[in-house]
Amino acid sequence: MSDYKAVIIGGSAGSFQVVTRIVSSLPANYPLSVILCLHRLKHIRSGFVEALSIKAAMPIVEPIDKEPIKTGKIYLAPANYHLYVELGNKFALSTEDAVNHSRPSIDLSFFSAAYNFKKKLVGIVLSGANKDGALGLKSVKENGGLTIVQDPNECQVPTMTLACMNATNVDHVYSTQRIIDFLLTLD
Amino acid sequence: MIDNLGIVDTKKIIATIHESYGLDLSDYTLSILKRRFTHVMSYYNINLVDEFVNQIKRNNIEYEDFLDLVMIDTTEIFRDPSLWRELREKYLPEIAHSSGSKIWLAGESSGDELFSLMVVMSELGLSKNIRITASCPSKNRLKRIKAGYGYDLKKMEIGEANYTRLSGKFEFNKFYKMDGNFALMNPELIDDVEFDTTNISQEKVNKSYRMILFRNMMIQYNLPLYEKVARKLIDNLVVGGYLILGNMESLEYSEIGKKMQLVNEAEKIYRKRID
């Protein structure tokens, strides 16, 4: 039985292929909840889940507001909403102003997940061209969770992972393959 | 500073607000409240929760100013262009057929939904046929809405891009004029709109509307208040009337939602089946 309940992954420019590889590697009965907060075009509401789902064994959904968080599912932050983990193991959505020019903002999702899952959370930040996610990953660390960034040498755009490494003492700097290997040990 | 409020602090602030202003936020989504309180605190340059609480208790922060700052700033003009297209092409012409049709914007916070609706109504030439009521609990915000609000340029760019996506009939700049760096919507758009300061989560309403727009407002409420507000919305609809929520909201977690039929899943348009 894993010590962790949830994995939260943040990514932006250059992260789509990495996320696709990760979600395709997880088995259908993966015992954790996986939350994806990825920067995306705000006016394109459909197609992203479908694209990620092509090779994935786990079901991928965009949670509606107040949806209970279940294990064995991958949740993708919907377009043009912030995604929060709310008390009572539920999701909450918000249309408040963009943070770091982003809605969904990785920082906001990570803050709320860190606060609610504490040490039972794995936070992972992937390739990206801005700093969104750095304070969020710091918050995962401060709440006792495990922090991982994609190796900046492997990132298409390393700005986001480097910002994380500046903001906090990240536990692991992993290649995509090592991230996958690690996530599979939690099975 | 962005999200360091814990639950204990947040609850302390909620209790103070209830005591000092009589405003009960105890059943609001904590994630959102934490951010809103942080926003109010940073506006007043307050770093400590105890200082914030004391300022409220001593009445150094007036209720109307607090309400103005704490309300969620929604979205955009013509957020979800596909919804506005549906309304323009199908639902608004349909409800204009019945005489005396009324529409309620049950939770306006910055005029976005109101001005979007009125632009679409003016495209259809229906502004005089359907009676519109807009409720905004904040007097300050209501005053700004009536004056055309004053949106920043970024917001107008987003609004214009959305208007283009819904294939708007007019040039978007016909609907506003610049005042310094801010855009004021043309007040003629809202000439016939009836305004009030009803706060649906706290007050009784007894009307019969043919359509209610309440997009991305239910996200503020925890389940008990969500149920209560859903009941009020549905009670104020005529049978056959429409309720429109945000595209990622749903009535599926409410009991009263059984009275409604989801007639457009992508845009979350519900139709009242029974009384």
Side-chain angles (χ1 to χ4, degrees), chain A residues 42-43 45 62-68 78-82 84-87 90 92-99 103 108 111-112 115-116 135, chain B residues 2-3 6-7 29-32 34-36 73-76 79-80 82 158 165 216 218-219 221-223 226 246-248 250 252-253 266-267:
Chain A
K42 65 186 187 66
H43 59 276
R45 297 195 318 211
E62 287 169 331
I64 56 169
D65 181 57
K66 306 187 200 322
E67 182 162 334
N80 216 3
Y81 282 96
H82 294 301
Y84 294 111
V85 174
E86 176 73 359
L87 212 63
K90 287 192 292 278
L93 297 174
S94 150
T95 56
E96 290 163 285
D97 285 343
V99 173
R103 186 168 60 214
L108 290 189
F111 287 144
S112 67
Y115 191 82
N116 283 283
L135 292 176
Chain B
I2 194 162
D3 192 63
I7 287 180
T29 311
L30 278 174
S31 307
I32 294 178
K34 279 158 90 168
R35 272 204 81 206
R36 298 317 299 166
D73 277 310
T74 52
T75 77
E76 2 183 299
R79 185 184 163 106
D80 304 308
S82 47
I158 295 171
R165 280 187 198 106
N216 300 313
M218 293 290 237
I219 55 181
Y221 310 133
N222 287 337
L223 282 173
Y226 155 90
N247 70 298
M248 294 307 287
S250 164
E252 80 178 69
Y253 302 113
E267 309 303 341

Side-chain angles (χ1 to χ4, degrees), chain B residues 243-261:
Chain B
L243 171 63
I244 304 171
L245 301 181
N247 70 298
M248 294 307 287
E249 293 182 300
S250 164
L251 286 176
E252 80 178 69
Y253 302 113
S254 82
E255 266 301 303
I256 188 82
K258 292 187 184 119
K259 288 188 175 181
M260 306 293 285
Q261 180 193 4

Side-chain angles (χ1 to χ4, degrees), chain A residues 62-178:
Chain A
E62 287 169 331
I64 56 169
D65 181 57
K66 306 187 200 322
E67 182 162 334
I69 304 173
K70 295 190 175 146
T71 55
K73 265 193 172 180
I74 297 173
Y75 296 98
L76 172 69
N80 216 3
Y81 282 96
H82 294 301
L83 176 70
Y84 294 111
V85 174
E86 176 73 359
L87 212 63
N89 213 35
K90 287 192 292 278
F91 286 112
L93 297 174
S94 150
T95 56
E96 290 163 285
D97 285 343
V99 173
N100 306 315
H101 310 289
S102 309
R103 186 168 60 214
S105 149
I106 300 171
D107 274 344
L108 290 189
S109 292
F110 274 52
F111 287 144
S112 67
Y115 191 82
N116 283 283
F117 289 116
K118 303 277 192 278
K119 63 179 185 183
K120 296 188 183 290
L121 180 70
V122 180
I124 305 175
V125 173
L126 308 172
S127 175
N130 72 3
K131 288 183 187 168
D132 192 25
L135 292 176
L137 199 68
K138 180 168 180 251
S139 158
V140 173
K141 177 91 181 177
E142 286 168 355
N143 280 280
L146 186 81
T147 53
I148 302 174
V149 294
Q150 184 188 2
D151 187 342
N153 295 314
E154 193 204 64
C155 289
Q156 264 187 39
V157 190
T159 316
M160 213 151 86
T161 49
L162 290 172
C164 289
M165 291 163 78
N166 274 331
T168 187
N169 187 14
V170 171
D171 294 300
H172 302 296
V173 179
Y174 281 169
S175 66
T176 307
Q177 190 54 52
R178 284 202 69 187

